[in-house]
């Protein structure tokens, strides 16, 4: 592998993390005015995208949080009247999460603020550049999933 490619590959991870962190800071600044922490807005956003009635476990997986952290966030959202937890019809141990009317309104505001921030952040990028990045991220995500599956199999042996 040529030196320039090696250097690029070594820089990629740190650049990705740095840009993702700064991206998140810009978005968080837009949403903090609505009284939403990072954990709150991401929970509401994923609930609105996934649809009402997903389980706490499913939501935790979508967000990338452990269950105990999510429970605290859901407690807070429930206290604010943005979500309701309902017992599953088939398994009373399972709680399904539903957006209230206020929660749906707040989720709509979140989507609008996210869209506005994303258009602003991506203003200097062409559609072709963005398409290439989205495709590369998709391949990277698939490869990470394969590696995670392989690690799980390795640890089980």
């Amino acid at each position: 592998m040529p030196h320039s490619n090696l250097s690029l590959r070594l820089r990629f991870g740190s650049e990705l993390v740095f840009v993702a962190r700064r991206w998140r800071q810009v978005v968080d600044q837009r949403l903090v005015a609505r009284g939403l922490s990072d954990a709150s807005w991401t929970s509401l956003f994923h609930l609105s995208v996934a649809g009402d009635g997903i389980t706490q476990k499913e939501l935790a997986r979508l967000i990338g949080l452990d269950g105990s952290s999510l429970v605290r966030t859901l407690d807070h959202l429930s206290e604010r009247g943005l979500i309701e937890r309902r017992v599953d019809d088939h398994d009373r141990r399972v709680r399904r999460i539903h957006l209230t009317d206020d929660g749906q309104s707040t989720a709509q505001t979140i989507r609008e603020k996210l869209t506005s921030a994303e258009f602003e952040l991506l203003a200097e990028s062409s559609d072709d550049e963005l398409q290439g990045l989205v495709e590369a991220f998709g391949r990277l995500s698939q490869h990470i999933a394969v590696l995670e599956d392989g690690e799980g199999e390795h640890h089980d042996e």
Side-chain angles (χ1 to χ4, degrees):
M1 177 180 308
H3 177 67
S4 62
N5 287 342
L6 177 60
S7 175
L8 181 62
R9 289 174 183 276
L10 292 174
R11 276 188 33 218
F12 178 81
S14 61
E15 290 288 332
L16 179 62
V17 169
F18 179 71
V19 169
R21 186 174 295 132
R22 295 201 52 215
W23 179 287
R24 194 67 169 253
Q25 288 170 345
V26 168
V27 170
D28 285 343
Q29 288 170 357
R30 307 274 173 100
L31 293 167
V32 76
R34 291 276 304 171
L36 296 166
S37 68
D38 175 62
S40 294
W41 76 256
T42 52
S43 296
L44 291 171
F45 173 79
H46 284 285
L47 269 172
S48 71
V49 170
D52 261 354
I54 66 172
T55 65
Q56 290 181 192
K57 185 176 182 178
E58 291 166 333
L59 182 59
R61 184 185 52 77
L62 287 172
I63 298 172
L65 286 178
D66 65 76
S68 61
S69 296
L70 181 60
V71 168
R72 288 188 297 274
T73 298
L74 294 178
D75 287 344
H76 176 71
L77 293 173
S78 180
E79 290 166 7
R80 290 188 57 192
L82 300 173
I83 65 156
E84 294 175 350
R85 291 180 180 115
R86 299 180 193 158
V87 175
D88 183 85
D89 292 337
H90 304 290
D91 185 347
R92 298 196 58 74
R93 297 169 296 175
V94 175
R95 299 290 180 264
R96 296 202 172 268
I97 306 161
H98 297 266
L99 291 169
T100 63
D101 288 343
D102 284 347
Q104 289 176 2
S105 175
T106 301
Q108 178 61 35
T109 299
I110 290 167
R111 284 192 301 274
E112 291 167 2
K113 298 245 182 233
L114 285 174
T115 299
S116 173
E118 288 174 356
F119 272 93
E120 189 175 338
L121 289 164
L122 297 172
E124 300 296 318
S125 300
S126 72
D127 288 347
D128 288 341
E129 288 172 319
L130 295 175
Q131 184 64 40
L133 286 169
V134 167
E135 290 170 3
F137 288 157
R139 287 189 304 273
L140 184 56
S141 264
Q142 289 175 342
H143 188 63
I144 289 169
V146 167
L147 291 174
E148 288 174 338
D149 287 347
E151 288 178 8
E153 292 171 11
H154 179 70
H155 292 303
D156 292 341
E157 294 177 355

